[in-house]
Amino acid sequence: MWKVAVVGCGVGRNHIAQGYLRHPDKFRVHALCDVDEARLAVIGEEFSIPRRTRSFDEILRMDDVDIVDICTPAALHFEQILGALAAGKEVVCEKPLAGSLTEVDEVIAAEKAAAGRVMPIFQYRFGNGVQKARRIIESGVSGKSYLATVETAWKRTAEYYQTPWRGRRGTEQGGVLLMHAIHNHDLMIWLMGPIASVFARTATRVNPVEVEDCAVASLVMRSGALASFAATLGSQHEISRLRLCFEHVTFESALAPYSPGDDPWEIVPASPEAEAQIADALAGYRAVPSRYEGQFAAYHAALTTGAALPITLIDARSSLELAAALYHSAATGTAVTLPIAAAHPAYKGWFPSKPEFVLPQKANPEESVR
Ligand SMILES: NC(=O)c1ccc[n+]([C@@H]2O[C@H](COP(=O)([O-])OP(=O)(O)OC[C@H]3O[C@@H](n4cnc5c(N)ncnc54)[C@H](O)[C@@H]3O)[C@@H](O)[C@H]2O)c1
C-alpha cells in the first residue's frame, strides 16, 4: 500500500477517480494539496481525504507520504519535482514534465542522486489497441516502417482559457503541440522509433491566445520512414487518429479523442503469412486497463519490484525534444535535426526569448544626461 499526496485538484481529480481509487489495495490518497481553498474542499470532501493543505512544503514534510503526484500548472512542475525528490519522495508528474530540455536534464540528474524516481504521465499508452500494436512491432513482424500520420483534432473554446495560466507563453509554455497533441505524438514515437528531422508550421487561429492552436509538421524518422502531424483545437468533431503503415501490416487507431490507445485498432496484415505471425505475436496477450488505471497498475508493479518505471524521464525527454524541435522549426522556417544538443538554441527553451532592451548608444554621453 503506497500513500499518495495529490497536488493540484484539476486533472488531479482524474488521477484519484480514474487511477488510485481503482486500486484500493495498492494506493491510498492520503493527502491533498491545492492553493485554491474552495477546490481543495470540494475534491477533499468528494473523496473523503482528511488531510488537506494549501502548502506544497507541508506535503513534503509529511513523513508518511510516499508518492507526491504533481498535477499543477506546467510552469510549476520543475521546481516541485526537484523539491519532492530532495524530500526523498517518489514522484508522479503530469505532462509536460518541464519547460525546456535544460530543465528535464536537471531532473534526470536529480533523480540519479535521489532515493525516489519520477514517473511522467502518458496515460494514452495504456489501451489495448496501442499495446497490441507495440507488441507486434517489437516482435519484428511488422517489417520496414513506411509512413505515419497523426491527427489531433480537438476543441477548446474561450471558457478553457478563462483559467489564467492557460494561453500564455510564460505559464502554459506552449499550445496544441506541447499541451494536447503531445500524447498522440508520444504514441507515434513509441511505435515508430526516434525522429531524425522535423519541419513545422504553427498558427493561432481558433482563440485569441499567445500560444499556437493549429500546427502541421513533416517528419523524417531515423529509420527513414516519413510522418506527418496535424493538430488543431478548432475541430467541432473531436478525434485523435494514428495511422501507421509498415511493410507487413497497417495499423489504424480508434478515433476516441482522449483514449486513442484503446481498442478497437484496425490491424491489417499484408498477407496470410503476416496474419499468422501477428496471431503468434499476440498469443498470450494480457489486456491492460485503460489510461490512468493502467498506468498506475504498472507503476505499482514497478515500485514494488524495483523494475523500470512504465514511463520514464527518457520518454518525457523525447516528447520535449520533439516539442523544442517543432517550435524552433516553426520560428525559424527551417528543418531541425535531432538530437538537440546543449549548444542548440532550442535547448534552453522553445520560444526565442525577447531580445533585451538596450538603450541606444549616444554619440555624446553628455546628451544622454540632459
Ligand atoms: N494527462 C492529461 O490528459 C492531462 C489533462 C489535463 C491536464 N493535464 C496537465 O495537468 C496539469 C494541470 O492541468 P489542469 O488542467 O488540471 O489545470 P487546472 O488549472 O485545472 O488545475 C491545476 C490546479 O493546481 C492548483 N495549483 C496552482 N498552483 C499550485 C501550487 N503552487 N500548489 C498546489 N496547487 C496549485 C490550482 O489552484 C488548480 O486547482 C498541466 O500540466 C496539464 O498539462 C494533463
Side-chain angles (χ1 to χ4, degrees):
M1 177 68 77
W2 295 75
K3 291 186 191 145
V4 185
V6 173
V7 184
C9 290
V11 77
R13 188 194 173 280
N14 295 355
H15 286 211
I16 299 169
Q18 300 168 17
Y20 299 119
L21 288 186
R22 306 269 173 94
H23 302 292
D25 54 327
K26 298 183 174 74
F27 299 103
R28 187 189 315 146
V29 182
H30 200 53
L32 193 62
C33 175
D34 199 301
V35 289
D36 180 334
E37 197 129 28
R39 224 172 182 187
L40 186 63
V42 169
I43 306 300
E45 286 301 309
E46 182 181 1
F47 298 108
S48 306
I49 302 165
R51 211 186 286 178
R52 303 170 204 166
T53 175
R54 296 176 64 215
S55 161
F56 182 69
D57 288 343
E58 199 180 327
I59 292 286
L60 299 187
R61 286 195 296 271
M62 292 178 186
D63 288 339
D64 52 356
V65 162
D66 305 309
I67 299 168
V68 175
D69 181 349
I70 298 167
C71 300
T72 51
L76 300 179
H77 294 174
F78 175 62
E79 293 293 342
Q80 290 185 331
I81 295 170
L82 293 185
L85 282 177
K89 307 296 185 191
E90 299 291 340
V91 184
V92 172
C93 185
E94 264 295 353
K95 47 55 53 174
L97 186 93
S100 68
L101 287 170
T102 322
E103 287 186 359
V104 80
D105 283 344
E106 274 188 53
V107 171
I108 289 170
E111 187 196 50
K112 283 199 180 113
R117 295 183 287 175
V118 183
M119 182 182 73
I121 291 289
F122 271 133
Q123 81 273 23
Y124 287 25
R125 287 195 191 185
F126 296 85
N128 289 307
V130 70
Q131 291 273 339
K132 282 187 255 180
R134 166 92 180 171
R135 188 162 163 151
I136 292 165
I137 294 165
E138 276 189 316
S139 77
V141 174
S142 52
K144 189 174 173 183
S145 52
Y146 292 158
L147 181 132
T149 54
V150 185
E151 288 165 85
T152 307
W154 294 3
K155 182 177 176 179
R156 295 292 182 272
T157 61
E159 194 194 341
Y160 178 79
Y161 291 103
Q162 274 171 11
T163 302
W165 65 270
R166 294 202 180 113
R168 295 167 203 270
R169 283 186 168 194
T171 47
E172 195 174 20
Q173 303 180 321
V176 67
L177 288 172
L178 184 72
M179 299 300 288
H180 308 91
I182 190 169
H183 289 286
N184 293 333
H185 297 171
D186 169 66
L187 294 185
M188 198 279 298
I189 300 172
W190 197 44
L191 297 176
M192 296 285 284
I195 298 164
S197 161
V198 309
F199 184 93
R201 293 184 194 279
T202 60
T204 305
R205 301 186 60 75
V206 184
N207 285 285
V209 290
E210 287 176 14
V211 294
E212 85 291 349
D213 53 24
C214 295
V216 290
S218 157
L219 297 88
V220 183
M221 309 304 290
R222 228 181 274 166
S223 65
L226 302 181
S228 74
F229 292 162
T232 182
L233 298 178
S235 175
Q236 298 310 317
H237 177 198
E238 291 191 296
I239 64 151
S240 292
R241 172 168 35 209
L242 288 96
R243 213 165 184 289
L244 312 162
C245 301
F246 289 80
E247 187 179 1
H248 300 304
V249 58
T250 295
F251 301 98
E252 186 166 347
S253 75
L255 300 185
Y258 303 110
S259 52
D262 283 1
D263 264 334
W265 274 45
E266 198 177 72
I267 300 175
V268 184
S271 63
E273 296 74 36
E275 189 172 5
Q277 287 172 341
I278 287 169
D280 284 348
L282 293 181
Y285 173 79
R286 288 177 60 187
V288 298
S290 178
R291 289 173 35 102
Y292 296 114
E293 185 179 349
Q295 182 163 352
F296 289 166
Y299 183 42
H300 184 269
L303 284 173
T304 309
T305 61
L309 296 174
I311 309 281
T312 66
L313 287 175
I314 299 305
D315 297 315
R317 193 186 191 288
S318 300
S319 73
L320 295 177
E321 185 177 45
L322 170 59
L326 293 169
Y327 285 127
H328 192 69
S329 170
T332 57
T334 58
V336 173
T337 52
L338 282 74
I340 291 186
H344 193 283
Y347 180 77
K348 292 199 171 100
W350 23 89
F351 293 131
S353 54
K354 287 192 186 126
E356 262 178 60
F357 180 71
V358 182
L359 277 171
Q361 292 289 316
K362 294 273 166 45
N364 177 357
E366 292 290 303
E367 240 183 271
S368 62
V369 175
R370 278 197 300 269

